[in-house]
């Protein structure tokens, strides 16, 4: 269930996006047909009026399906950039295909190119600005989500200290438990989750406590609490990890291969 703060956040971004999509398209038309950049004018600016509706529909669908209106608590800045690029490219491709089948063939492709660049920049800027406002409010105690840590371990204490150092993420510590399998431990965890309106449970147990992990996940799912599992990496600190799945089994890549980065692979190709 979305909180009031999450609904406001999504609504602000939706309104901002609609305004900025239309502004970006108007500027693209102005650059191409009025200034003009890219050759002599092709069409009158008002010839593009029929495109506004389809642009708003295509980009609203792509951004909504792409999850760009969800409140993100943990670090996803780089991922969000790629999400915006992916959604924008999908929306523009869908729009061009639609215009082709509807025989809207009298328009400047350069207008679409300008529009893509402008609206992508506007989308990044809007999210940076809105998330900055959200972070400021979180630092002042607003939009906070209560959380519990299961596991009085070094990993559990690291999660606690990290979240305390990052008030802009909007997490409020409620308590820490050590077990979930025994009747007393399970009842205590359930009572803690339900009595304090807990939204997130961070499980930081060693790998030999699988029964506690399974019990805690079952309890949390029954109460509608989000579960985050901190993997037991035997004391290793990971700065550039990636997670993949193999038939539903999560695999943690603790050290990304240098050539996994597209930029590094391209650089190697140049020197080769």
């Amino acid at each position: 269930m979305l909180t009031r703060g999450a609904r406001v956040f999504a609504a602000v971004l939706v309104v901002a996006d609609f305004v900025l999509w239309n502004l970006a398209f108007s500027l693209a038309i102005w650059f191409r047909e009025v200034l003009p950049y890219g050759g002599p004018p092709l069409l009158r600016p008002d010839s593009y009026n029929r495109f506004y509706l389809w642009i708003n529909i295509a980009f609203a669908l792509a951004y909504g399906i792409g999850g760009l209106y969800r409140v993100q608590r943990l670090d996803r800045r780089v991922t969000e950039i790629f999400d915006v690029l992916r959604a924008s490219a999908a929306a523009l491709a869908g729009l061009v295909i639609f215009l082709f089948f509807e025989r809207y063939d009298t328009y400047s492709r350069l207008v679409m190119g300008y529009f893509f660049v402008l609206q992508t920049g506007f989308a990044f800027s809007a999210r940076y600005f809105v998330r900055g406002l959200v972070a400021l409010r979180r630092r002042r105690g607003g939009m906070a989500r209560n959380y519990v840590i299961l596991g009085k371990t070094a990993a559990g204490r690291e999660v606690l200290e990290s979240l305390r150092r990052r008030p802009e993420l909007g997490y409020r510590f409620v308590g820490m438990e050590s077990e979930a399998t025994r009747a007393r431990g399970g009842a205590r965890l359930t009572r803690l989750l339900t009595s304090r309106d807990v939204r997130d449970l961070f499980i930081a147990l060693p790998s030999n406590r699988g029964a506690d992990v399974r019990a805690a996940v079952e309890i949390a799912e029954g109460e509608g609490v989000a579960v985050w599992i901190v993997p037991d990496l035997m004391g290793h600190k990971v700065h550039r990890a990636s997670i993949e799945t193999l038939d539903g089994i999560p695999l943690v890549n603790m050290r990304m291969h240098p050539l996994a980065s597209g930029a590094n692979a391209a650089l190697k190709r140049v020197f080769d």
Side-chain angles (χ1 to χ4, degrees):
M1 178 184 299
L2 288 177
T3 63
R4 181 176 179 274
R7 289 195 297 269
V8 171
F9 172 85
V12 169
L13 272 185
V14 168
V15 172
D17 279 339
F18 272 99
V19 171
L20 294 174
W21 293 332
N22 290 280
L23 175 61
F25 194 59
S26 298
L27 288 174
I29 296 169
W30 185 64
F31 286 153
R32 176 62 184 87
E33 306 293 1
V34 178
L35 288 181
Y37 291 139
L42 180 66
L43 296 170
R44 289 168 49 89
D46 57 9
S47 301
Y48 291 92
N49 289 346
R50 57 184 177 174
F51 291 91
Y52 283 93
L53 174 63
W54 304 119
I55 283 174
N56 285 297
I57 292 174
F59 277 80
L61 287 174
Y63 276 42
I65 294 172
L68 291 172
Y69 298 116
R70 292 195 299 264
V71 176
Q72 303 296 339
R73 294 274 165 174
L74 302 182
D75 289 332
R76 288 190 71 251
R77 295 181 184 89
V78 176
T79 305
E80 188 173 55
I81 290 175
F82 286 104
D83 289 343
V84 169
L85 284 172
R86 189 181 302 113
S88 299
L92 189 61
L95 180 64
V96 170
I97 293 172
F98 171 79
L99 294 176
F100 173 78
F101 283 106
E102 288 297 313
R103 301 187 183 280
Y104 288 155
D105 54 354
T106 307
Y107 65 91
S108 171
R109 274 60 175 175
L110 196 54
V111 167
M112 293 302 180
Y114 286 147
F115 168 66
F116 179 80
V117 173
L118 288 169
Q119 74 82 27
T120 302
F122 287 162
F124 294 154
S125 301
R127 277 152 182 77
Y128 183 83
F129 178 74
V130 173
R131 293 194 188 283
L133 293 179
V134 171
L136 180 61
R137 187 179 176 192
R138 286 173 179 169
R139 288 191 185 97
R140 296 176 177 177
M143 297 178 67
R145 287 171 67 102
N146 292 339
Y147 75 95
V148 167
I149 296 176
L150 177 63
K152 296 180 179 180
T153 60
R157 288 188 290 272
E158 285 185 14
V159 170
L160 176 60
E161 291 303 317
S162 295
L163 291 178
R164 281 179 172 170
R165 288 195 302 267
R166 302 288 302 280
E168 71 275 11
L169 297 179
Y171 282 102
R172 182 188 295 120
F173 178 65
V174 169
M176 181 179 286
E177 288 293 331
S178 58
E179 60 183 3
T181 49
R182 296 180 183 177
R184 185 168 26 176
R188 194 164 54 239
L189 178 61
T190 303
R191 186 166 57 252
L192 188 59
L193 295 181
T194 55
S195 64
R196 301 293 298 275
D197 189 28
V198 172
R199 299 296 182 87
D200 297 270
L201 173 64
F202 290 85
I203 300 177
L205 292 172
S207 57
N208 60 356
R209 298 279 300 278
D212 278 290
V213 173
R214 290 189 293 272
V217 169
E218 184 176 344
I219 292 171
E221 289 181 343
E223 301 298 334
V225 175
V227 177
W228 304 85
I229 297 180
V230 183
D232 181 10
L233 300 179
M234 295 158 286
H236 290 282
K237 278 269 190 176
V238 181
H239 298 285
R240 297 183 63 188
S242 62
I243 298 179
E244 300 182 20
T245 58
L246 174 64
D247 293 334
I249 303 170
L251 304 175
V252 180
N253 182 359
M254 294 180 62
R255 182 165 297 174
M256 189 180 298
H257 191 280
L259 296 183
S261 166
N264 290 345
L267 188 61
K268 180 180 183 300
R269 179 66 63 184
V270 169
F271 281 102
D272 289 345

